[in-house]
Structures are given as C-alpha cells and as structure tokens.
Amino acid sequence: MVPHLTTALTGPLLDLERNFLDHRTEIEQWFRAQWQETRPPFYGSTDLRNSGFKLAPVDLNLFPGGFNNLNESFLPLCVQAAQAAIERICPDARRLLLIPENHTRNQFYLQNVAQLVAILRLTGLEVRIGSLSPEVTEPTTLELANGATLLLEPLERRGGSLGVKNFEPCAVLLNNDLSAGVPDVLRNLDGQWLIPPLHAGWHTRRKSNHARAYSRIAQEFAQVIGIDPWRINPEFGVCGQINFKERTGEECLAAQVDALLGRIRAKYKEYGVSDEPFVVVKADAGTYGMGVMTVRDASEVQGLNRRQRNKMSVIKEGLQVQEVIIQEGVHTFETCADAVAEPVVYMMDHYVVGGFYRVHTERGRDENLNAPGMHFKPLAFETCCTLPDAAQGPDAPPNRFYAYGVVARLALLAAAVEIEETASTELEQAAA
Amino acid sequence: MVPHLTTALTGPLLDLERNFLDHRTEIEQWFRAQWQETRPPFYGSTDLRNSGFKLAPVDLNLFPGGFNNLNESFLPLCVQAAQAAIERICPDARRLLLIPENHTRNQFYLQNVAQLVAILRLTGLEVRIGSLSPEVTEPTTLELANGATLLLEPLERRGGSLGVKNFEPCAVLLNNDLSAGVPDVLRNLDGQWLIPPLHAGWHTRRKSNHARAYSRIAQEFAQVIGIDPWRINPEFGVCGQINFKERTGEECLAAQVDALLGRIRAKYKEYGVSDEPFVVVKADAGTYGMGVMTVRDASEVQGLNRRQRNKMSVIKEGLQVQEVIIQEGVHTFETCADAVAEPVVYMMDHYVVGGFYRVHTERGRDENLNAPGMHFKPLAFETCCTLPDAAQGPDAPPNRFYAYGVVARLALLAAAVEIEETASTELEQAAA
C-alpha cells in the first residue's frame, strides 16, 4: 500500500516529480560529483514532508533509530551500503562496538539496534554493544518482542581505548545522539575510529547549521535542474537569545515568525496555494520532537501559558532551550486510510537503502508527527528509491520514492557539509 | 525452488559450507583487505561446480551475458553496485557507450544487453549502444521478445574518440569479449575510459593465467579459514603446442591428462570419494564452451577421430586452438527436477549482485553445460548471496548462496590480479 497524495492544487502538482524524473541523469551525475568532494556520513535518516507543491526535509538524523521499520527485502541493500561505508571510513576494522541510546525499555528502539547489529555482522564485522547507561553494570541480555535478543555490556575504558570485556574494537559506532553531552569515556580515543565524529552529536549540533548548509545545497541543486529552490527548501529563521521560562526574547521570536510567515504567504500567492501558512518553532539543539511548536500567527508565541512554556523550555535529557529555529511548515498531503503519512528515508554511506512512512491517525497534517510519546504505525516503502521509471506517471510509487531519495540525499549531503564545517568546534572543545 | 544437492559422501558433505559460515567474519575482513589493494573489475560472472565435497569456479567471464536471468528483486543491488563501479573507475562519466557482442539475433543475449542498459541508466548515465557488427550500418531498432526495444547504432571514430552519431561518450563499456581480436576502432582511444581494458578480451586472455592467479588466491584464502585449498581449487595443467588438425602434441596432452587424473585420484582417495575422476580439456584462449572436451582416461585424447579433432580445433570466430588447459572436472551434484543445475554468480564492482542456475535436462553431471547451441533454462537465485544465517543449516539456501558468493568473489579477485599482471601484454601489443 502506498499513501495517497491529495492537494488543493492541480497546477504545480507532480511538476516536481516530473522534473526529477526528466533530469535524473543530471541529478545522479551531480550527486556523483558532490560525493567525490564530500565524504558521506556513515549513516543517516531524514524526515520529509510532501505537500505536492513542495517536498522538503525537516530533520536529518545522524543516529538513525528505525532500521527495524524498513522493508525486509531491503536488507541486502543495507548490507551492501554498510560494506561501502566501512570501506570508506574504517576499511581495516574487524571488531566494532555499537553504542546505543540509553532507553533500554523502548522495544521499538531495541529492535532497531538488533537490526543494525545484524546488518553490521553481515558485512563481516564482529559486533558487540557497549552501553552508556549507568543501569547496565553487567552483561545484560534483553529478549525482544520480535524474538531477537540483545546483549548489552558495560563500557570499559582501558587507557586510550574503549571496549567491553574481552573485546577491543577497531571502530566505535554511535547510535546515541549525545544530547546529554559527551561522556568522558568517549573522549580522546587513541587509535580507534569513532563514527560519526563527536561533534555530530546534538550536544554540539545545531539545526540552524544544517538548515544553512541545506539551503546552499538546495540552491545549487535547484539551478542544475531548473527549479525554484523553495520547492525543496523550507525557509527558516533563528532566534538566539530566548528563555521561555523567564519570558525573555519573545519579541525577537514573534518578529521572526511574522517575517517568515510573510515570506511563505508571498510564495503561496506566487504558486496559487490557498492553504494556511504555518511555521514550526523548534529548539535549535533539540531532538526527538521535544521543544517543538506549530505556529500560524506571531501572536501565538507571545504570552504563552505555563504549560506551553514548560513544553518548549526543556528538550531531551533536561537541557534548557536557549536558541530556537523557526522553520517553514510544509503541509502533509499524504494520507493512508485517512491517517497522515510522512516519509522517512534511510541512508548508509551515500546510498538510499529504504524508508517507511510514519502513519499517525491522531494528528493533523500541519502538526509534528515525531513528538514524545507519539505512537506511529510504520509502513515500509514498497519498492526501493533507486528505480525511477519514466514509462510510468510521475506519481507512480517508483517515481515518488525516487523523488524522496533525491531530497533525502540532498539533506544527507548538507549534513556531510555541516559536519565538515563544524569540525573545528570539536577541536576547540577538545582544547578547552 | 532451490536445486537439491545429492552426493555419495556423507563425511565431508556440508563441511565446506559450515566452514564458510563459521568464518564469515574472517572471510569478509580478508576480502575487504584484498579489495583495498586490488581494483575490482567493472563486472564479471563465474560458473561454479558444486560436488558437495568441492565447490569451485570453472570459468570467469569479464563480459557477463546473462543479466536478464537474475531475479528481478536483485535489480536495486545491481544499480547500487554499478554506481560503486562507476565511482571507482570513471566517476566523472556522464555518457557511456556500450559495445555488445555481434550476435544480434540471439534474443537471450539481447535481453541481457537491454537489462544492462537499464541498470546503467538507473545509475544516472546516458547510455547508447554502438555495434561492431558490419551489418549495423545505420541506427537499427530491435524489438525483443520480452517487449523491450534496443537501438543499435554504427560506431563512429572521430580522431582519438569513439562514439555514435551525436554522442560523445566519456566511457566505453565492452560487453564484447574480443575473441576475434581488437578492432582498430577500439585502439588508442584518447581521453575516454575503456572498460575493461583491452587485454581482458579473449584475444589476449588465457584461461591458464586465470587458473594460476586463482590457484595462488585459493591457497592464501584456504589458509585464512583453515581448509585444504583443493576443496575450492580445480587442479590444472597446460599443453602449449598442440595442433588437433595436424595431430601434433597429442603425447604431451595425454601425459598431462594422465598426471592430472592421477592427482585427482589421490585426492578422491584421501576424501573417500568413490566417483570417477575426470578432466576437461579446453582451448586456453577459448570461450563460449567451444573447443571443450570431457576426458576420463588419457587414451581418449589420442587417436581422436576427424569429428572430434574438428570440434576441438576451432573456437569462437574461427580461431585455431594451439594451447589447451586441462582442468580438473568437478561433478555437478545439484539437480532440479532431475535436471543438472549449475550455479552462475554475477558481480559488479566487488559486490555479488545475484545469480542463476543453468538447468539442463539433456546432459550428465560431468559434462560441460555451456556448450554451443545448448539450451538451458535459467533459474534465478531465490535470495541474495550476502545474507548467511548461522541459525539455519549450512545447506539452507541463504548459506549455500553465501558459499557461492564467497567462491565467486575469489574468482573475481583472481581475474583482477590476472588483469593487473597481464597489463604489460597490452602495452607490448600497443608498441608492436
């Protein structure tokens, strides 16, 4: 089953997919040239929004947590792409230590870890799992609902080397986004690959850095295929000094929201879109959909009540929000049995290896579907994202998935550029 | 459906698959290291023989002709691997010219060409087909039985550049094995990638060079996983000066056959194999199963009748046989509805992308199944070759396919080494 795409527009609808399809040679050639210059991350996933007139990424995750949601028939693609990633980043690695998130009670996340371990083992690596969680004080076997088992082991630091008992890994792969900061145990590793680099973690990463990199890449790409970059690029603004608890910075935020809504309104007018523009206010350093708010008018961010302020002021691991990004909202026009369906695309190295829809019945098409405690039903992509078929309509599943894969790779490329550009941050922090 | 494996042995049966399964980490690590040092060919396929006690390649084709026989669900794997091959060999290529074999009436071969074109186009290349055939004097559209169409165009040489009308390719990919020698039109190309290099063609290539390279690689690999290299390596001998028509060199051939049969008998005794040993005599420069003969006793190669001598003396394109390789025969113990079934594995870059069985009802298990005019029924591999599963028996399909993939990659590596080592041949020929 593939979600149905509806939109109020008939004009530009499918123009974008058609354009991607017509320019697929230029597109692939352009990506090939980019990846010659920029090293792709080991892995990543991106949340897309598809309004028909606009297809854009709203988040790029460098610690993807849903490998268990991919179509099983994509497993060989994942293995092949993981082989490429290992050859590119750590070709001599024999033993790999995977460091997952600490939420050891989330069955869905644990199934993701199990799937990731399976993929990595199939590339011919010995894989063990080292946990940062203080609760894991001895080897702990978890039985998963899908029948798989996971062995979590406490991390052991021996000099410059990180491992678990009787296991000296050549490479350490993070599936933990470091929202709480970098644990000392991960610092100053000597002779071990640490993937991705520490500054890819959310303690350092800023959504606005990514948005800036994406914006430049979208401009360049749009020129190659002759489209308005707005069709793939959400507009954004940043507010640097905000304190929701102490109610400072509200004016700055309101002004930014107003300006951004104005720009979107102008674009909607240009394209004859009659939907109501909205923006999404997010913690610049946040993740997991915490500290996120949908706004249709600047007045909504002024005079927030206590509940709203509390919701916005704290993100994962109890961090206080200081900087926010205001991102153009993109309506979700894909539905599946009347439920809103949003695509998530998975990549390893620079290859698209699959994806799934987050299908959510309880939320509107302009709301954030990746909110805490939110339950979505994953719907794996039916076909893969690399088989566009010009003989079919631009909206046929292989072509829609191809379009997803194109935009997802743009976001991945932006993340790669972002990580390169922010590498000095890590050095500065290490020196401090 | 997966062919049934029967063998008279119960002892060493499945030992090999079990060993591959137990050592898959070492195996993948070893391959990773090899491919760091040796550049894989763009593509290749290999014919395997599986007697249960022995799993060995008997041929490695650098111009694979059966992409149409692969499981359709492997297409994404092919596309991903082809992307890797292009990035490795000709990353800047935008336009590729494919040069197929000349037999434009073979529907099966033409479907292979169409499939190859589809794969290459999906990587984002513009692809046109330039024919070496003197019959193709103008653009010729062929309608294939499966509904696809192919446009063959006459080659155009413009100075140092090869192309077709209004098409200047960056890369020229050969799917023509150059049995008839190198046409002048392919020589001294200036600024275009020619893939694979000319000396990979059968005008220069010798089966014995490949066998020597394979033998060394099999030795090294066998040591890594602790097996007798004979389990994966067919013994061979070479006879350099033979003329079947003039009946010279028969004694040399008979002596080699006798010696080789003796070595095989000793091995069979060591492993308790009660089957009758046999060898296969092949033209060292031959292809397409021409000039091939199955021999069980040295006396069989002496006093050949006129028909036999004629059959052995000419290979593809009317070339005369002068050198022969005598290769240990490996019994085929896989059957499919009582028909002999032999695996063929397909690779692009260093990735196994699929394979199929040649299923043939009219031949015995010690005969060559790739003979001229021979009709086989292709049976695509059900699952891919990269998903070994230790939880299943060593003979379960994913594990048997994994074993095929391992041995196929050894043969591909041998071809890569062979092509590196024979590169000087090409330079010498160019200088001559």
Side-chain angles (χ1 to χ4, degrees):
Chain A
M1 185 164 66
V2 178
H4 185 60
L5 176 69
T6 52
T7 159
L9 291 172
T10 51
L13 177 66
L14 306 186
D15 266 11
L16 199 56
E17 287 90 335
R18 165 59 61 201
N19 192 299
F20 285 175
L21 204 52
D22 290 347
H23 291 88
R24 59 195 190 284
T25 304
E26 290 88 342
I27 290 172
E28 297 307 321
Q29 173 59 31
W30 183 84
F31 272 118
R32 198 141 37 226
Q34 302 302 313
W35 295 127
Q36 295 287 314
E37 283 173 29
T38 305
R39 189 162 87 161
F42 188 89
Y43 56 10
S45 68
T46 186
D47 289 12
L48 303 180
R49 296 290 182 272
N50 187 6
S51 68
F53 55 89
K54 184 159 191 161
L55 174 60
V58 294
D59 195 19
L60 185 290
N61 188 348
L62 287 166
F63 308 91
F67 279 101
N68 54 316
N69 294 329
L70 304 184
N71 193 323
E72 262 192 43
S73 62
F74 294 157
L75 180 58
L77 270 184
C78 288
V79 173
Q80 192 171 293
Q83 283 174 334
I86 290 159
E87 281 176 35
R88 194 188 301 272
I89 297 178
C90 51
D92 304 330
R94 297 176 73 97
R95 290 172 301 277
L96 182 141
L97 183 71
L98 181 68
I99 300 188
E101 297 286 347
N102 289 351
H103 35 72
T104 52
R105 284 176 194 86
N106 181 332
Q107 277 290 326
F108 300 112
Y109 177 70
L110 292 173
Q111 288 176 20
N112 162 67
V113 174
Q115 184 66 6
L116 190 52
V117 168
I119 291 165
L120 294 167
R121 287 197 176 136
L122 283 166
T123 69
L125 292 171
E126 282 174 59
V127 182
R128 303 264 287 267
I129 307 169
S131 177
L132 283 168
S133 169
E135 292 173 28
V136 177
T137 54
E138 56 182 29
T140 306
T141 301
L142 303 175
E143 309 280 341
L144 308 191
N146 66 355
T149 59
L150 272 188
L151 175 64
L152 302 188
E153 299 179 70
L155 287 175
E156 286 183 9
R157 178 78 185 237
R158 289 175 289 268
S161 178
L162 187 63
V164 292
K165 196 167 184 180
N166 300 325
F167 187 72
E168 295 266 0
C170 322
V172 177
L173 178 65
L174 297 174
N175 197 250
N176 180 309
D177 69 14
L178 306 179
S179 284
V182 178
D184 284 341
V185 77
L186 291 182
R187 288 186 193 276
N188 306 315
L189 295 186
D190 184 17
Q192 290 178 316
W193 285 286
L194 182 58
I195 310 163
L198 288 178
H199 68 285
W202 277 120
H203 64 295
T204 305
R205 223 180 141 210
R206 293 290 173 272
K207 287 185 165 63
S208 53
N209 286 336
H210 181 74
R212 270 185 282 268
Y214 183 80
S215 193
R216 290 203 310 272
I217 283 165
Q219 298 272 351
E220 199 185 315
F221 176 81
Q223 207 160 22
V224 171
I225 63 166
I227 59 166
D228 177 352
W230 179 75
R231 303 289 298 276
I232 52 173
N233 188 17
E235 302 251 354
F236 74 100
V238 176
C239 221
Q241 288 299 327
I242 196 151
N243 188 320
F244 284 102
K245 283 206 165 155
E246 296 178 10
R247 301 194 138 170
T248 56
E250 277 190 359
E251 300 72 23
C252 161
L253 180 56
Q256 290 271 14
V257 166
D258 201 50
L260 188 52
L261 284 170
R263 298 211 298 277
I264 303 169
R265 247 176 241 117
K267 276 293 180 185
Y268 276 22
K269 199 172 167 194
E270 180 185 338
Y271 283 97
V273 177
S274 57
D275 296 285
E276 189 186 1
F278 70 102
V279 299
V280 180
V281 180
K282 307 178 187 180
D284 202 11
T287 179
Y288 278 83
M290 300 172 90
V292 173
M293 196 179 157
T294 296
V295 179
R296 288 168 199 80
D297 190 277
S299 65
E300 294 174 42
V301 296
Q302 287 175 305
L304 294 178
N305 64 32
R306 177 185 297 269
R307 202 183 129 261
Q308 290 170 316
R309 282 186 285 122
N310 279 345
K311 187 190 154 207
M312 284 306 290
S313 64
V314 179
I315 49 173
K316 199 187 165 201
E317 311 277 357
L319 288 183
Q320 294 295 313
V321 171
Q322 288 187 313
E323 297 155 335
V324 297
I325 177 170
I326 307 116
Q327 193 179 45
E328 175 185 350
V330 180
H331 295 88
T332 299
F333 281 121
E334 287 182 277
T335 54
C336 187
D338 288 334
V340 171
E342 293 181 340
V344 189
V345 178
Y346 271 64
M347 292 159 286
M348 300 191 90
D349 193 84
H350 61 52
Y351 299 105
V352 177
V353 294
F356 58 91
Y357 286 96
R358 285 204 182 91
V359 181
H360 194 80
T361 47
E362 293 155 38
R363 283 174 186 253
R365 61 201 175 99
D366 59 358
E367 282 181 281
N368 171 45
L369 298 196
N370 189 14
M374 183 207 96
H375 292 287
F376 64 85
K377 204 171 150 267
L379 173 68
F381 288 178
E382 264 184 1
T383 67
C384 87
C385 300
T386 54
L387 305 179
D389 181 359
Q392 297 187 52
D395 196 33
N399 295 331
R400 206 196 298 173
F401 290 134
Y402 178 66
Y404 292 166
V406 170
V407 175
R409 283 181 286 165
L410 291 174
L412 188 76
L413 181 58
V417 167
E418 172 203 347
I419 294 303
E420 266 179 19
E421 288 178 347
T422 54
S424 59
T425 319
E426 186 171 39
L427 295 174
E428 282 161 25
Q429 288 185 341
Chain B
M1 188 164 62
V2 177
H4 184 59
L5 176 69
T6 51
T7 160
L9 291 172
T10 51
L13 177 64
L14 308 184
D15 267 11
L16 200 57
E17 288 90 335
R18 165 60 61 199
N19 192 299
F20 285 176
L21 205 51
D22 290 345
H23 292 87
R24 58 196 193 283
T25 304
E26 290 88 341
I27 290 173
E28 297 307 320
Q29 173 59 30
W30 183 85
F31 272 120
R32 199 141 36 226
Q34 302 302 313
W35 295 126
Q36 295 288 315
E37 282 173 30
T38 305
R39 189 162 87 161
F42 188 88
Y43 56 11
S45 67
T46 186
D47 288 12
L48 303 180
R49 296 291 182 272
N50 187 6
S51 67
F53 56 89
K54 184 159 190 162
L55 175 59
V58 294
D59 194 20
L60 186 290
N61 188 348
L62 287 166
F63 308 91
F67 279 101
N68 54 316
N69 294 330
L70 305 184
N71 192 323
E72 262 194 44
S73 61
F74 294 157
L75 180 58
L77 270 184
C78 289
V79 173
Q80 193 172 295
Q83 283 174 333
I86 290 159
E87 281 176 34
R88 194 187 302 271
I89 298 179
C90 52
D92 304 330
R94 298 176 72 97
R95 292 172 300 278
L96 182 140
L97 183 71
L98 180 69
I99 300 188
E101 296 287 346
N102 288 352
H103 34 73
T104 52
R105 285 175 195 86
N106 181 333
Q107 277 290 326
F108 300 112
Y109 178 70
L110 292 172
Q111 288 176 19
N112 162 68
V113 174
Q115 185 66 7
L116 190 51
V117 167
I119 291 166
L120 294 166
R121 285 193 176 138
L122 284 166
T123 69
L125 292 171
E126 283 176 58
V127 182
R128 303 262 287 267
I129 306 168
S131 178
L132 284 167
S133 169
E135 292 173 27
V136 177
T137 53
E138 56 182 27
T140 307
T141 300
L142 303 176
E143 310 279 343
L144 307 192
N146 66 356
T149 60
L150 273 188
L151 176 63
L152 302 188
E153 299 178 72
L155 287 175
E156 287 183 7
R157 178 79 186 235
R158 289 176 289 268
S161 178
L162 186 64
V164 292
K165 194 167 184 180
N166 300 324
F167 187 72
E168 295 266 2
C170 322
V172 177
L173 178 65
L174 298 174
N175 197 250
N176 180 310
D177 69 16
L178 306 177
S179 285
V182 178
D184 285 342
V185 76
L186 291 182
R187 289 187 192 274
N188 307 314
L189 295 185
D190 185 17
Q192 290 178 317
W193 285 285
L194 183 58
I195 309 164
L198 288 178
H199 68 285
W202 276 120
H203 65 296
T204 306
R205 220 180 142 210
R206 293 291 173 271
K207 286 182 164 61
S208 53
N209 286 335
H210 180 73
R212 269 185 283 269
Y214 182 80
S215 195
R216 289 203 310 272
I217 283 165
Q219 298 274 351
E220 198 184 317
F221 176 79
Q223 206 160 21
V224 170
I225 63 166
I227 59 167
D228 177 353
W230 179 75
R231 304 288 301 274
I232 52 172
N233 188 16
E235 302 252 352
F236 74 100
V238 176
C239 220
Q241 287 298 325
I242 197 150
N243 189 320
F244 285 101
K245 282 206 166 153
E246 297 178 9
R247 301 194 140 172
T248 56
E250 276 187 1
E251 299 72 24
C252 162
L253 179 57
Q256 290 271 14
V257 166
D258 201 48
L260 189 52
L261 283 170
R263 297 211 298 276
I264 303 169
R265 248 175 242 118
K267 276 293 180 187
Y268 276 22
K269 200 173 166 193
E270 180 184 339
Y271 283 97
V273 177
S274 57
D275 295 286
E276 190 186 2
F278 70 103
V279 299
V280 181
V281 179
K282 307 177 186 181
D284 202 13
T287 180
Y288 278 85
M290 299 171 91
V292 174
M293 198 178 155
T294 296
V295 179
R296 288 169 201 80
D297 189 278
S299 65
E300 294 174 42
V301 297
Q302 287 174 305
L304 295 177
N305 64 31
R306 177 185 299 269
R307 203 184 129 261
Q308 291 170 316
R309 284 186 282 122
N310 279 345
K311 188 191 153 206
M312 284 304 292
S313 64
V314 180
I315 50 173
K316 199 185 164 204
E317 310 277 358
L319 289 184
Q320 294 295 313
V321 171
Q322 287 186 314
E323 297 153 336
V324 296
I325 176 171
I326 307 116
Q327 193 180 45
E328 174 186 350
V330 180
H331 294 89
T332 298
F333 281 121
E334 288 182 277
T335 54
C336 187
D338 288 334
V340 171
E342 294 182 340
V344 189
V345 178
Y346 271 63
M347 293 158 286
M348 301 191 88
D349 193 83
H350 62 52
Y351 300 104
V352 177
V353 296
F356 59 90
Y357 288 97
R358 285 204 182 92
V359 181
H360 193 78
T361 46
E362 292 156 39
R363 283 175 186 252
R365 61 201 176 103
D366 59 356
E367 282 181 283
N368 172 45
L369 299 195
N370 189 15
M374 185 208 93
H375 293 288
F376 63 87
K377 205 173 148 263
L379 174 66
F381 289 177
E382 263 185 1
T383 66
C384 88
C385 300
T386 55
L387 305 179
D389 182 358
Q392 297 187 53
D395 196 34
N399 296 332
R400 205 194 300 173
F401 290 136
Y402 177 67
Y404 292 167
V406 170
V407 175
R409 283 181 287 164
L410 291 174
L412 189 76
L413 181 58
V417 168
E418 171 203 348
I419 294 304
E420 265 179 19
E421 288 177 347
T422 53
S424 60
T425 319
E426 184 171 42
L427 296 173
E428 281 160 25
Q429 288 186 339

